[in-house]
Amino acid sequence: MHKIIFQILRTGIRTEAPPPANPDYRTPEAQQLHAAILDCLGRALAIRHVDAGSCNGCELEIHALNTPQYNIEGLGIKFAASPRHADLLLVTGPVARHMEEALKRTYDAIPEPKLVVAVGDCGCSGGIFGESYASCGRVANAIPVDVAVPGCPPTPIQLLQGILAAVRKT
């Protein structure tokens, strides 16, 4: 034990120098999307997210939107706990049969004008699950979809682009 401690003391701390401080750490693509969303929205946007049966890969990317790198709350985009307070419905995964009624009720509870974004390959096409006794397949089989964001899972930038495309449709 003493031998290890003396070795550590003799060697000292060997680490890389920290990277230089960058006040704007977002990529140029993210900066352009932020500007476009602010120009297009002009107001706050509330999103209600529904996991209709996904593997949670898309959810991880959605959660990344809340990190400082993407900072969607800085754009006025927030996630709502109630569909009655939402403007946009973000649906991930193939629609499981037991989630079909809940998804339809959530869609009906959102006030007009409402937007729906299907996320991921499963939400857009049913993915590897397709339609079966346990799955309705893609989101469009259960409710009307305005924008589909393919990818397994789609990146946060692709999600922002999909949200922007949906907002521009109105």
Side-chain angles (χ1 to χ4, degrees), residues 6-155:
F6 288 126
Q7 177 68 32
I8 292 170
L9 292 174
R10 265 191 312 245
T11 306
I13 298 173
R14 293 187 181 180
T15 60
E16 296 176 5
N22 183 0
D24 196 6
Y25 43 81
R26 292 176 290 178
T27 63
E29 188 177 26
Q31 291 174 1
Q32 291 171 354
L33 273 172
H34 278 223
I37 288 173
L38 286 174
D39 289 344
C40 186
L41 277 179
R43 63 179 182 87
L45 177 72
I47 297 174
R48 174 67 177 136
H49 170 243
V50 174
D51 177 352
S54 75
C55 69
N56 289 331
C58 295
E59 280 74 14
L60 292 173
E61 301 302 321
I62 291 169
H63 290 305
L65 290 174
N66 285 320
T67 63
Q69 184 166 357
Y70 298 101
N71 189 24
I72 63 167
E73 285 203 13
L75 300 171
I77 301 173
K78 297 189 183 331
F79 285 90
S82 169
R84 300 196 187 285
H85 302 143
D87 304 307
L88 185 140
L89 182 61
L90 197 64
V91 186
T92 58
V95 181
R97 294 273 179 209
H98 72 277
M99 281 297 295
E100 184 178 15
E101 184 64 28
L103 181 61
K104 287 179 180 177
R105 286 183 181 184
T106 302
Y107 175 79
D108 292 339
I110 295 175
E112 293 289 340
K114 52 185 136 190
L115 302 167
V116 178
V117 176
V119 176
D121 287 342
C122 295
C124 296
S125 66
I128 61 171
F129 304 101
E131 292 183 44
S132 69
Y133 70 93
S135 173
C136 298
R138 63 190 183 137
V139 175
N141 291 347
I143 59 173
V145 172
D146 296 303
V147 174
V149 182
C152 189
T155 64

